[in-house]
């Protein structure tokens, strides 16, 4: 929280002291807006963690409902149109034709997949493809999200789901997160009775696997 606040404070003081010229003010305002967006996102995640952990302590209740997979995916993927166009990326979707519906908490499933797809886009170069595959294996629905990004070192793969842990690549302020997204996603997956795991090859990309029981 202190990092974006300090950045904005310094930029405001620089403008007030005349260090930043008039020609540079628009660029500085864009940078300030970026830091405020980071702070807003972090605040939202911290609130989500507080609510989630309270729910876990009280034995979380899932709002399970029957979901039509085609409609769910249409809504989910359409929300990434702008992000993908900006980086000239695309999503390739492969779905087991026998999977028509799911019975789960739609909000939690949406939150997990949104975070995984956002990460796949964020940590991958321009002009790359994100692969989303959904299949049924032994009464388990498996969502796999594969990217063509930086990859994660083996020693860090064991830590990325820990609260506030960030891999070294993500410390770049342009891509760096709060270290809460994957922690939240894994916790939500467990609340749904499932698991969230990763396999990755450094500098060649990662695959995240969300496994949920078929109901």
């Amino acid at each position: 929280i202190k990092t974006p606040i300090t950045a904005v404070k310094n930029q405001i003081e620089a403008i007030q002291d005349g260090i930043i010229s008039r020609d540079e003010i628009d660029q500085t305002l864009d940078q300030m807006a970026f830091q405020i967006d980071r702070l807003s996102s972090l605040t939202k995640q911290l609130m989500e963690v507080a609510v989630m952990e309270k729910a876990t302590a009280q034995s979380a209740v899932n709002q399970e409902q029957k979901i039509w997979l085609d409609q769910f995916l249409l809504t989910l993927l359409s929300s990434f149109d702008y992000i993908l166009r900006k980086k000239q990326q695309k999503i390739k979707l492969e779905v087991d034709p026998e999977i028509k519906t799911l019975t789960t908490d739609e909000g939690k499933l949406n939150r997990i997949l949104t975070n995984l797809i956002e990460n796949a886009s964020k940590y991958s170069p321009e002009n790359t493809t994100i692969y989303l595959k959904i299949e049924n294996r032994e009464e388990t629905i498996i969502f796999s999200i594969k990217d063509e990004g930086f990859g994660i070192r083996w020693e860090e793969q064991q830590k990325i789901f820990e609260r506030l842990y960030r891999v070294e690549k993500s410390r770049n302020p342009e891509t760096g997160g709060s270290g809460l997204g994957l922690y939240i996603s894994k916790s939500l997956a467990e609340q749904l009775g499932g698991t969230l795991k990763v396999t990755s090859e450094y500098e060649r990309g990662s695959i995240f696997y969300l496994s949920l029981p078929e109901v």
Side-chain angles (χ1 to χ4, degrees):
I1 290 176
K2 289 175 63 178
T3 301
I5 290 177
T6 300
V8 172
K9 180 176 181 293
N10 291 340
Q11 288 163 329
I12 291 174
E13 290 177 350
I15 293 174
Q16 291 174 330
D17 294 341
I19 297 174
I20 294 176
S21 68
R22 289 186 177 275
D23 293 339
E24 297 173 315
I25 286 180
D26 285 346
Q27 180 181 355
T28 303
L29 290 175
D30 287 341
Q31 294 171 353
M32 291 167 65
F34 171 75
Q35 296 294 348
I36 290 171
D37 285 343
R38 288 186 65 200
L39 181 58
S40 175
S41 176
L42 177 56
T43 302
K44 181 179 178 181
Q45 287 184 323
L46 286 171
M47 292 175 64
E48 186 171 357
V49 167
V51 171
M52 182 183 66
E53 291 184 342
K54 180 180 179 181
T56 300
Q58 297 175 350
S59 194
V61 176
N62 295 322
Q63 303 297 320
E64 292 189 350
Q65 61 189 104
K66 186 176 182 179
I67 302 171
W68 289 93
L69 189 58
D70 56 353
Q71 184 59 50
F72 172 80
L73 291 173
L74 179 64
T75 302
L76 173 71
L77 298 181
S78 64
S79 66
F80 293 99
D81 285 346
Y82 172 74
I83 295 174
L84 295 175
R85 286 204 308 270
K86 186 176 180 180
K87 294 190 69 173
Q88 300 179 39
Q89 296 170 330
K90 61 182 179 180
I91 292 181
K92 183 176 181 180
L93 178 64
E94 182 181 345
V95 183
D96 184 334
E98 294 186 1
I99 306 176
K100 304 293 185 183
T101 63
L102 297 173
T103 301
T104 189
D105 187 314
E106 182 174 1
K108 292 180 180 180
L109 177 60
N110 185 288
R111 183 72 183 87
I112 297 168
L113 294 178
T114 294
N115 183 60
L116 295 178
I117 295 172
E118 282 181 349
N119 282 353
S121 172
K122 182 188 298 183
Y123 299 120
S124 296
E126 295 182 354
N127 297 300
T128 53
T129 300
I130 299 166
Y131 300 87
L132 172 58
K133 185 176 182 179
I134 306 171
E135 55 189 325
N136 190 334
R137 296 185 198 166
E138 299 178 352
E139 299 185 344
T140 300
I141 305 298
I142 299 176
F143 297 78
S144 61
I145 297 88
K146 178 182 178 183
D147 63 51
E148 298 176 334
F150 306 126
I152 306 167
R153 296 180 188 275
W154 167 251
E155 60 271 20
E156 292 188 305
Q157 291 177 35
Q158 314 307 309
K159 302 176 182 177
I160 59 172
F161 296 108
E162 295 176 5
R163 184 171 174 173
L164 299 178
Y165 184 83
R166 297 184 299 166
V167 296
E168 187 61 32
K169 255 317 185 190
S170 74
R171 297 185 189 280
N172 181 335
E174 293 298 319
T175 58
S178 62
L180 288 171
L182 289 175
Y183 168 76
I184 291 172
S185 296
K186 183 175 177 65
S187 298
L188 292 176
E190 290 171 352
Q191 289 181 19
L192 296 177
T195 60
L196 181 59
K197 299 181 180 179
V198 64
T199 61
S200 183
E201 187 175 349
Y202 186 58
E203 295 186 339
R204 294 184 65 88
S206 305
I207 309 176
F208 283 83
Y209 297 94
L210 170 64
S211 302
L212 298 178
E214 182 183 22
V215 179

